[in-house]
Amino acid sequence: MPDYDGAAVLAAIRTIQTMTTSDAVISVLGQFIERYGFERIFLGQLVNPANVPLKDILYISDWPDELKAERERRMAILHDPIAIGALRSKRPFSWSEARLHATRAGRKVMDSVHDHGITDGMMFPMHALHSVSGGVSLGAAGGLDLSLTHIAELEIVCQTAYYHLEGLLGPFPYQRVAELTVRETECVQFAAAGKTNWEIAKILGIQEDTVKKTLRRASDKLGAVNRAHLVASAIAKSQIFP
C-alpha cells in the first residue's frame, strides 16, 4: 500500500474536475483507486427502481454485464446491505461491515457479487442538500489493507467524482423536489406524528377541510398516492423531520 501522497490526491481531484464526459471521469477515478487495491466501481444515486427507471438517475458501473443485468432483473438494490447501509450511514464502511447486518436476502445479493470475483470492497456514502442519497462502491478481487488515511484519501476523490458527475449529467428528474409551504409542512409533520385531520385542525386553529386540502396539495407536489406514502416521501426528501 502506498504511503500518503497529497500531491496524487490533489492531482486526481483537479483532473476529475476538468473532465467533460462520464467515461473520462470514471477512467481517472479507476486509475486512482488501483493503487489502493480496487478494481471495480459502482457509482450512483440510491433510489427504488420500482419507482424510478435507471435512465432517470445517476447510475454508472463497470461491473460485469451479466452481474448488472442480474441485479437489475431482481431489483437487488432493495435488499443489498451495502446500498441500505449507504442510505443510513454518513461514513465510509467496508462490505464486510455491511454483511454483519445483512438479512438472508441481503447475504444472497452479496454472494452473487462474490461469484463474479468481486469479493471485498468499500462503500462511500454521498449525501447532499437538494439531491437524493447515493454512493460510490469500490470492489476488489482480494483482501484489502487500508489505513484511516487511505480511506480519507479515497473518500475525497470519490466525492469529487460523484458530485462532478451529478452536475455534469444532471439535473435528474428525481432531483426536482418541490418545496412544501409552511402550512403544508406543518400538516405533514403532524400527520407523521399520527395525528388525525381533526386533531391537526385543532392544533393549528384551522378547518378540518383545510387540512384535507393542504395534505392533498402536499401529496400532489411529492407524487404521493396516500397518507403513508406522503409521510415517507416527505421524510425521504428532507421536507420534514423523521
mmCIF file of all heavy atoms in Angstrom, residues 186-223:
data_model
loop_
_atom_site.group_PDB
_atom_site.id
_atom_site.type_symbol
_atom_site.label_atom_id
_atom_site.label_comp_id
_atom_site.label_asym_id
_atom_site.label_seq_id
_atom_site.Cartn_x
_atom_site.Cartn_y
_atom_site.Cartn_z
ATOM 1 N N GLU A 186 -46.330 21.916 8.112
ATOM 2 C CA GLU A 186 -46.940 21.717 9.436
ATOM 3 C C GLU A 186 -47.912 20.537 9.415
ATOM 4 O O GLU A 186 -47.875 19.672 10.299
ATOM 5 C CB GLU A 186 -47.687 22.979 9.865
ATOM 6 C CG GLU A 186 -46.792 24.147 10.222
ATOM 7 C CD GLU A 186 -47.585 25.405 10.529
ATOM 8 O OE1 GLU A 186 -48.705 25.560 9.989
ATOM 9 O OE2 GLU A 186 -47.088 26.229 11.314
ATOM 10 N N CYS A 187 -48.793 20.525 8.424
ATOM 11 C CA CYS A 187 -49.799 19.463 8.358
ATOM 12 C C CYS A 187 -49.154 18.090 8.160
ATOM 13 O O CYS A 187 -49.543 17.107 8.812
ATOM 14 C CB CYS A 187 -50.789 19.752 7.226
ATOM 15 S SG CYS A 187 -51.909 21.127 7.552
ATOM 16 N N VAL A 188 -48.157 18.010 7.271
ATOM 17 C CA VAL A 188 -47.492 16.731 7.028
ATOM 18 C C VAL A 188 -46.707 16.298 8.266
ATOM 19 O O VAL A 188 -46.674 15.114 8.616
ATOM 20 C CB VAL A 188 -46.565 16.813 5.797
ATOM 21 C CG1 VAL A 188 -45.815 15.487 5.609
ATOM 22 C CG2 VAL A 188 -47.366 17.142 4.552
ATOM 23 N N GLN A 189 -46.102 17.271 8.955
ATOM 24 C CA GLN A 189 -45.339 16.937 10.161
ATOM 25 C C GLN A 189 -46.245 16.339 11.230
ATOM 26 O O GLN A 189 -45.885 15.345 11.875
ATOM 27 C CB GLN A 189 -44.652 18.197 10.698
ATOM 28 C CG GLN A 189 -43.613 17.925 11.783
ATOM 29 C CD GLN A 189 -42.329 17.323 11.238
ATOM 30 O OE1 GLN A 189 -41.555 17.977 10.572
ATOM 31 N NE2 GLN A 189 -42.114 16.043 11.520
ATOM 32 N N PHE A 190 -47.421 16.901 11.408
ATOM 33 C CA PHE A 190 -48.358 16.355 12.394
ATOM 34 C C PHE A 190 -48.946 15.029 11.924
ATOM 35 O O PHE A 190 -49.194 14.127 12.733
ATOM 36 C CB PHE A 190 -49.465 17.366 12.699
ATOM 37 C CG PHE A 190 -49.026 18.485 13.595
ATOM 38 C CD1 PHE A 190 -49.079 19.801 13.164
ATOM 39 C CD2 PHE A 190 -48.525 18.236 14.867
ATOM 40 C CE1 PHE A 190 -48.657 20.841 13.985
ATOM 41 C CE2 PHE A 190 -48.102 19.261 15.701
ATOM 42 C CZ PHE A 190 -48.168 20.576 15.260
ATOM 43 N N ALA A 191 -49.143 14.875 10.611
ATOM 44 C CA ALA A 191 -49.607 13.596 10.079
ATOM 45 C C ALA A 191 -48.572 12.507 10.354
ATOM 46 O O ALA A 191 -48.917 11.364 10.692
ATOM 47 C CB ALA A 191 -49.877 13.709 8.581
ATOM 48 N N ALA A 192 -47.298 12.862 10.241
ATOM 49 C CA ALA A 192 -46.215 11.912 10.527
ATOM 50 C C ALA A 192 -46.212 11.505 11.996
ATOM 51 O O ALA A 192 -45.754 10.413 12.337
ATOM 52 C CB ALA A 192 -44.870 12.529 10.154
ATOM 53 N N ALA A 193 -46.717 12.394 12.848
ATOM 54 C CA ALA A 193 -46.779 12.092 14.280
ATOM 55 C C ALA A 193 -48.032 11.311 14.648
ATOM 56 O O ALA A 193 -48.296 11.069 15.828
ATOM 57 C CB ALA A 193 -46.725 13.392 15.077
ATOM 58 N N GLY A 194 -48.819 10.936 13.625
ATOM 59 C CA GLY A 194 -50.000 10.111 13.870
ATOM 60 C C GLY A 194 -51.268 10.882 14.182
ATOM 61 O O GLY A 194 -52.275 10.288 14.572
ATOM 62 N N LYS A 195 -51.251 12.193 13.984
ATOM 63 C CA LYS A 195 -52.436 12.999 14.267
ATOM 64 C C LYS A 195 -53.468 12.839 13.148
ATOM 65 O O LYS A 195 -53.122 12.741 11.976
ATOM 66 C CB LYS A 195 -52.065 14.479 14.407
ATOM 67 C CG LYS A 195 -51.018 14.774 15.471
ATOM 68 C CD LYS A 195 -51.498 14.420 16.852
ATOM 69 C CE LYS A 195 -50.456 14.799 17.912
ATOM 70 N NZ LYS A 195 -50.884 14.378 19.272
ATOM 71 N N THR A 196 -54.751 12.840 13.518
ATOM 72 C CA THR A 196 -55.818 12.809 12.525
ATOM 73 C C THR A 196 -56.013 14.207 11.948
ATOM 74 O O THR A 196 -55.485 15.193 12.486
ATOM 75 C CB THR A 196 -57.134 12.357 13.163
ATOM 76 O OG1 THR A 196 -57.547 13.345 14.126
ATOM 77 C CG2 THR A 196 -56.980 11.003 13.851
ATOM 78 N N ASN A 197 -56.782 14.292 10.873
ATOM 79 C CA ASN A 197 -57.063 15.603 10.292
ATOM 80 C C ASN A 197 -57.770 16.507 11.295
ATOM 81 O O ASN A 197 -57.497 17.707 11.362
ATOM 82 C CB ASN A 197 -57.924 15.454 9.034
ATOM 83 C CG ASN A 197 -57.148 14.844 7.878
ATOM 84 O OD1 ASN A 197 -55.926 14.724 7.932
ATOM 85 N ND2 ASN A 197 -57.856 14.452 6.830
ATOM 86 N N TRP A 198 -58.692 15.930 12.064
ATOM 87 C CA TRP A 198 -59.409 16.704 13.081
ATOM 88 C C TRP A 198 -58.439 17.250 14.129
ATOM 89 O O TRP A 198 -58.521 18.421 14.512
ATOM 90 C CB TRP A 198 -60.473 15.830 13.742
ATOM 91 C CG TRP A 198 -61.287 16.547 14.790
ATOM 92 C CD1 TRP A 198 -62.394 17.310 14.585
ATOM 93 C CD2 TRP A 198 -61.023 16.573 16.197
ATOM 94 N NE1 TRP A 198 -62.858 17.824 15.780
ATOM 95 C CE2 TRP A 198 -62.028 17.385 16.792
ATOM 96 C CE3 TRP A 198 -60.065 16.002 17.021
ATOM 97 C CZ2 TRP A 198 -62.085 17.626 18.162
ATOM 98 C CZ3 TRP A 198 -60.111 16.235 18.385
ATOM 99 C CH2 TRP A 198 -61.114 17.046 18.941
ATOM 100 N N GLU A 199 -57.505 16.398 14.574
ATOM 101 C CA GLU A 199 -56.533 16.831 15.586
ATOM 102 C C GLU A 199 -55.608 17.908 15.030
ATOM 103 O O GLU A 199 -55.280 18.885 15.725
ATOM 104 C CB GLU A 199 -55.713 15.625 16.066
ATOM 105 C CG GLU A 199 -56.511 14.644 16.911
ATOM 106 C CD GLU A 199 -55.742 13.380 17.226
ATOM 107 O OE1 GLU A 199 -55.008 12.884 16.332
ATOM 108 O OE2 GLU A 199 -55.858 12.876 18.365
ATOM 109 N N ILE A 200 -55.184 17.749 13.771
ATOM 110 C CA ILE A 200 -54.310 18.749 13.158
ATOM 111 C C ILE A 200 -55.034 20.094 13.066
ATOM 112 O O ILE A 200 -54.458 21.154 13.338
ATOM 113 C CB ILE A 200 -53.855 18.286 11.759
ATOM 114 C CG1 ILE A 200 -52.986 17.020 11.862
ATOM 115 C CG2 ILE A 200 -53.066 19.396 11.047
ATOM 116 C CD1 ILE A 200 -52.661 16.383 10.531
ATOM 117 N N ALA A 201 -56.309 20.041 12.699
ATOM 118 C CA ALA A 201 -57.102 21.270 12.597
ATOM 119 C C ALA A 201 -57.181 21.984 13.941
ATOM 120 O O ALA A 201 -57.038 23.218 14.011
ATOM 121 C CB ALA A 201 -58.503 20.938 12.080
ATOM 122 N N LYS A 202 -57.392 21.236 15.001
ATOM 123 C CA LYS A 202 -57.479 21.836 16.336
ATOM 124 C C LYS A 202 -56.141 22.429 16.759
ATOM 125 O O LYS A 202 -56.076 23.518 17.342
ATOM 126 C CB LYS A 202 -57.929 20.778 17.351
ATOM 127 C CG LYS A 202 -59.378 20.339 17.211
ATOM 128 C CD LYS A 202 -60.329 21.508 17.406
ATOM 129 C CE LYS A 202 -61.783 21.081 17.286
ATOM 130 N NZ LYS A 202 -62.711 22.235 17.417
ATOM 131 N N ILE A 203 -55.055 21.735 16.485
ATOM 132 C CA ILE A 203 -53.727 22.213 16.868
ATOM 133 C C ILE A 203 -53.388 23.513 16.141
ATOM 134 O O ILE A 203 -52.853 24.453 16.739
ATOM 135 C CB ILE A 203 -52.657 21.139 16.553
ATOM 136 C CG1 ILE A 203 -52.845 19.916 17.458
ATOM 137 C CG2 ILE A 203 -51.245 21.713 16.722
ATOM 138 C CD1 ILE A 203 -52.008 18.715 17.052
ATOM 139 N N LEU A 204 -53.697 23.560 14.839
ATOM 140 C CA LEU A 204 -53.313 24.718 14.016
ATOM 141 C C LEU A 204 -54.386 25.811 13.989
ATOM 142 O O LEU A 204 -54.148 26.898 13.449
ATOM 143 C CB LEU A 204 -53.013 24.262 12.583
ATOM 144 C CG LEU A 204 -51.837 23.289 12.429
ATOM 145 C CD1 LEU A 204 -51.665 22.879 10.968
ATOM 146 C CD2 LEU A 204 -50.547 23.896 12.960
ATOM 147 N N GLY A 205 -55.564 25.507 14.535
ATOM 148 C CA GLY A 205 -56.628 26.504 14.561
ATOM 149 C C GLY A 205 -57.225 26.773 13.193
ATOM 150 O O GLY A 205 -57.557 27.925 12.864
ATOM 151 N N ILE A 206 -57.354 25.736 12.382
ATOM 152 C CA ILE A 206 -57.935 25.870 11.051
ATOM 153 C C ILE A 206 -59.049 24.845 10.888
ATOM 154 O O ILE A 206 -59.262 23.985 11.749
ATOM 155 C CB ILE A 206 -56.870 25.681 9.949
ATOM 156 C CG1 ILE A 206 -56.198 24.299 10.072
ATOM 157 C CG2 ILE A 206 -55.832 26.791 10.010
ATOM 158 C CD1 ILE A 206 -55.153 24.025 9.002
ATOM 159 N N GLN A 207 -59.757 24.889 9.763
ATOM 160 C CA GLN A 207 -60.836 23.952 9.500
ATOM 161 C C GLN A 207 -60.284 22.586 9.090
ATOM 162 O O GLN A 207 -59.230 22.490 8.437
ATOM 163 C CB GLN A 207 -61.744 24.491 8.388
ATOM 164 C CG GLN A 207 -62.452 25.790 8.740
ATOM 165 C CD GLN A 207 -63.409 25.611 9.900
ATOM 166 O OE1 GLN A 207 -64.167 24.637 9.972
ATOM 167 N NE2 GLN A 207 -63.374 26.564 10.841
ATOM 168 N N GLU A 208 -61.019 21.529 9.439
ATOM 169 C CA GLU A 208 -60.588 20.186 9.067
ATOM 170 C C GLU A 208 -60.511 20.042 7.549
ATOM 171 O O GLU A 208 -59.614 19.378 7.020
ATOM 172 C CB GLU A 208 -61.548 19.145 9.646
ATOM 173 C CG GLU A 208 -61.106 17.707 9.408
ATOM 174 C CD GLU A 208 -62.009 16.696 10.093
ATOM 175 O OE1 GLU A 208 -62.932 17.104 10.826
ATOM 176 O OE2 GLU A 208 -61.790 15.484 9.884
ATOM 177 N N ASP A 209 -61.455 20.673 6.828
ATOM 178 C CA ASP A 209 -61.436 20.607 5.368
ATOM 179 C C ASP A 209 -60.170 21.264 4.811
ATOM 180 O O ASP A 209 -59.636 20.831 3.787
ATOM 181 C CB ASP A 209 -62.680 21.291 4.799
ATOM 182 C CG ASP A 209 -62.813 21.075 3.301
ATOM 183 O OD1 ASP A 209 -62.837 19.904 2.868
ATOM 184 O OD2 ASP A 209 -62.850 22.075 2.565
ATOM 185 N N THR A 210 -59.708 22.313 5.493
ATOM 186 C CA THR A 210 -58.466 22.982 5.067
ATOM 187 C C THR A 210 -57.281 22.034 5.214
ATOM 188 O O THR A 210 -56.384 22.016 4.364
ATOM 189 C CB THR A 210 -58.230 24.248 5.907
ATOM 190 O OG1 THR A 210 -59.342 25.130 5.750
ATOM 191 C CG2 THR A 210 -56.948 24.956 5.482
ATOM 192 N N VAL A 211 -57.275 21.240 6.281
ATOM 193 C CA VAL A 211 -56.209 20.260 6.477
ATOM 194 C C VAL A 211 -56.215 19.238 5.340
ATOM 195 O O VAL A 211 -55.163 18.912 4.772
ATOM 196 C CB VAL A 211 -56.363 19.541 7.836
ATOM 197 C CG1 VAL A 211 -55.332 18.417 7.957
ATOM 198 C CG2 VAL A 211 -56.225 20.521 8.980
ATOM 199 N N LYS A 212 -57.397 18.753 4.985
ATOM 200 C CA LYS A 212 -57.510 17.766 3.910
ATOM 201 C C LYS A 212 -56.956 18.322 2.604
ATOM 202 O O LYS A 212 -56.194 17.658 1.898
ATOM 203 C CB LYS A 212 -58.971 17.360 3.722
ATOM 204 C CG LYS A 212 -59.568 16.553 4.867
ATOM 205 C CD LYS A 212 -61.029 16.228 4.577
ATOM 206 C CE LYS A 212 -61.659 15.462 5.728
ATOM 207 N NZ LYS A 212 -63.103 15.176 5.468
ATOM 208 N N LYS A 213 -57.352 19.557 2.277
ATOM 209 C CA LYS A 213 -56.897 20.176 1.034
ATOM 210 C C LYS A 213 -55.391 20.427 1.052
ATOM 211 O O LYS A 213 -54.706 20.260 0.036
ATOM 212 C CB LYS A 213 -57.650 21.484 0.807
ATOM 213 C CG LYS A 213 -59.129 21.299 0.493
ATOM 214 C CD LYS A 213 -59.826 22.646 0.322
ATOM 215 C CE LYS A 213 -61.309 22.457 -0.001
ATOM 216 N NZ LYS A 213 -62.017 23.755 -0.127
ATOM 217 N N THR A 214 -54.881 20.823 2.220
ATOM 218 C CA THR A 214 -53.448 21.095 2.341
ATOM 219 C C THR A 214 -52.633 19.822 2.164
ATOM 220 O O THR A 214 -51.607 19.813 1.460
ATOM 221 C CB THR A 214 -53.138 21.730 3.710
ATOM 222 O OG1 THR A 214 -53.902 22.923 3.858
ATOM 223 C CG2 THR A 214 -51.664 22.052 3.847
ATOM 224 N N LEU A 215 -53.093 18.730 2.774
ATOM 225 C CA LEU A 215 -52.398 17.451 2.626
ATOM 226 C C LEU A 215 -52.487 16.945 1.185
ATOM 227 O O LEU A 215 -51.543 16.328 0.677
ATOM 228 C CB LEU A 215 -52.967 16.417 3.595
ATOM 229 C CG LEU A 215 -52.660 16.648 5.073
ATOM 230 C CD1 LEU A 215 -53.408 15.643 5.942
ATOM 231 C CD2 LEU A 215 -51.160 16.553 5.332
ATOM 232 N N ARG A 216 -53.601 17.234 0.518
ATOM 233 C CA ARG A 216 -53.753 16.826 -0.872
ATOM 234 C C ARG A 216 -52.762 17.576 -1.766
ATOM 235 O O ARG A 216 -52.142 16.997 -2.656
ATOM 236 C CB ARG A 216 -55.184 17.076 -1.342
ATOM 237 C CG ARG A 216 -55.515 16.413 -2.698
ATOM 238 C CD ARG A 216 -56.973 16.624 -3.090
ATOM 239 N NE ARG A 216 -57.862 16.126 -2.057
ATOM 240 C CZ ARG A 216 -58.767 16.878 -1.422
ATOM 241 N NH1 ARG A 216 -58.877 18.165 -1.706
ATOM 242 N NH2 ARG A 216 -59.553 16.349 -0.511
ATOM 243 N N ARG A 217 -52.596 18.868 -1.500
ATOM 244 C CA ARG A 217 -51.629 19.652 -2.276
ATOM 245 C C ARG A 217 -50.210 19.140 -2.051
ATOM 246 O O ARG A 217 -49.403 19.034 -2.987
ATOM 247 C CB ARG A 217 -51.714 21.131 -1.897
ATOM 248 C CG ARG A 217 -52.930 21.862 -2.430
ATOM 249 C CD ARG A 217 -52.721 23.373 -2.374
ATOM 250 N NE ARG A 217 -52.392 23.840 -1.035
ATOM 251 C CZ ARG A 217 -53.290 24.198 -0.137
ATOM 252 N NH1 ARG A 217 -54.591 24.142 -0.429
ATOM 253 N NH2 ARG A 217 -52.919 24.628 1.062
ATOM 254 N N ALA A 218 -49.894 18.819 -0.803
ATOM 255 C CA ALA A 218 -48.562 18.293 -0.488
ATOM 256 C C ALA A 218 -48.334 16.953 -1.191
ATOM 257 O O ALA A 218 -47.242 16.688 -1.716
ATOM 258 C CB ALA A 218 -48.403 18.131 1.018
ATOM 259 N N SER A 219 -49.372 16.123 -1.229
ATOM 260 C CA SER A 219 -49.264 14.826 -1.911
ATOM 261 C C SER A 219 -49.000 15.012 -3.394
ATOM 262 O O SER A 219 -48.180 14.310 -3.991
ATOM 263 C CB SER A 219 -50.551 14.017 -1.704
ATOM 264 O OG SER A 219 -50.714 13.636 -0.358
ATOM 265 N N ASP A 220 -49.701 15.970 -3.998
ATOM 266 C CA ASP A 220 -49.506 16.236 -5.427
ATOM 267 C C ASP A 220 -48.080 16.692 -5.708
ATOM 268 O O ASP A 220 -47.459 16.279 -6.694
ATOM 269 C CB ASP A 220 -50.495 17.302 -5.898
ATOM 270 C CG ASP A 220 -51.934 16.794 -5.927
ATOM 271 O OD1 ASP A 220 -52.120 15.562 -5.912
ATOM 272 O OD2 ASP A 220 -52.858 17.628 -5.938
ATOM 273 N N LYS A 221 -47.542 17.549 -4.833
ATOM 274 C CA LYS A 221 -46.181 18.047 -5.031
ATOM 275 C C LYS A 221 -45.141 16.934 -4.943
ATOM 276 O O LYS A 221 -44.157 16.921 -5.695
ATOM 277 C CB LYS A 221 -45.855 19.116 -3.980
ATOM 278 C CG LYS A 221 -46.500 20.469 -4.227
ATOM 279 C CD LYS A 221 -46.037 21.476 -3.185
ATOM 280 C CE LYS A 221 -46.624 22.858 -3.452
ATOM 281 N NZ LYS A 221 -46.162 23.860 -2.456
ATOM 282 N N LEU A 222 -45.363 16.004 -4.009
ATOM 283 C CA LEU A 222 -44.367 14.950 -3.771
ATOM 284 C C LEU A 222 -44.700 13.655 -4.504
ATOM 285 O O LEU A 222 -43.978 12.664 -4.367
ATOM 286 C CB LEU A 222 -44.240 14.683 -2.268
ATOM 287 C CG LEU A 222 -43.803 15.884 -1.410
ATOM 288 C CD1 LEU A 222 -43.648 15.462 0.049
ATOM 289 C CD2 LEU A 222 -42.503 16.477 -1.922
ATOM 290 N N GLY A 223 -45.786 13.661 -5.272
ATOM 291 C CA GLY A 223 -46.142 12.475 -6.039
ATOM 292 C C GLY A 223 -46.572 11.314 -5.169
ATOM 293 O O GLY A 223 -46.361 10.144 -5.524
#
